[in-house]
Amino acid sequence: MAGDPPGSDAPPDRARGGPADRRRGPRLTGRGAIAGMLLVFFTGVLAADWLHWSPLADASFVLGSAAAAWYTKQRDLLTVAVSPPLLFFLVVICVKALTAAGNELLSTVEGAALTLANVAPWLFIGVVLSLEIGRASCRERV
């Protein structure tokens, strides 16, 4: 294209930050992505607890961690890739403490253990998905 140095093999869209960069939308910092994941996880787990429908908690984890990996700046991808399981654990503890009945400590511990055991396969899928999105994002920019 006009304006490219002679012999430049770079694709025109990437050379000027064209549609390849605009395709992904706004970029989040690591803190913004973590805050977004906390919001998605909390609302998903709370709604799943109230509705007694655990697939909602599964979906919130997978969608939250994948979206965070997709919209995060490249320099913050490592933080976003390792944070979702810990954040989800903390959210499950908080939601179970908020919705506990009877003996609060026992109810919180049992509810959290059962929820985490139920969600374990989806935690694995969500982490693998976010790692793959991050890896593809890094390859795309190289």
Side-chain angles (χ1 to χ4, degrees):
M1 291 189 94
D4 283 342
S8 173
D9 294 331
D13 288 341
R14 285 192 184 171
R16 284 192 238 2
D21 287 340
R22 281 184 251 141
R23 172 181 69 85
R24 297 193 48 168
R27 310 303 289 168
L28 295 172
T29 62
R31 284 180 277 176
I34 288 172
M37 281 189 289
L38 275 172
L39 180 66
V40 170
F41 295 169
F42 187 80
T43 55
V45 172
L46 189 61
D49 195 48
W50 281 342
L51 298 172
H52 302 290
W53 193 51
S54 66
L56 194 55
D58 306 339
S60 73
F61 180 79
V62 172
L63 291 175
S65 58
W70 180 259
Y71 287 111
T72 302
K73 294 179 181 179
Q74 186 177 4
R75 70 172 190 259
D76 294 328
L77 280 174
L78 180 62
T79 304
V80 171
V82 300
S83 300
L86 178 62
L87 291 174
F88 193 78
F89 173 74
L90 294 175
V91 164
V92 167
I93 296 290
C94 289
V95 167
K96 294 302 176 181
L98 288 173
T99 60
N103 184 352
E104 289 182 19
L105 181 62
L106 185 61
S107 178
T108 300
V109 171
E110 286 178 351
L114 290 172
T115 300
L116 290 172
N118 190 30
V119 178
W122 292 100
L123 290 173
F124 179 73
I125 290 169
V127 168
V128 169
L129 181 63
S130 67
L131 289 173
E132 284 300 314
I133 289 171
R135 189 173 66 109
S137 160
C138 288
R139 272 193 191 161
E140 181 178 290
R141 294 173 189 220
V142 173

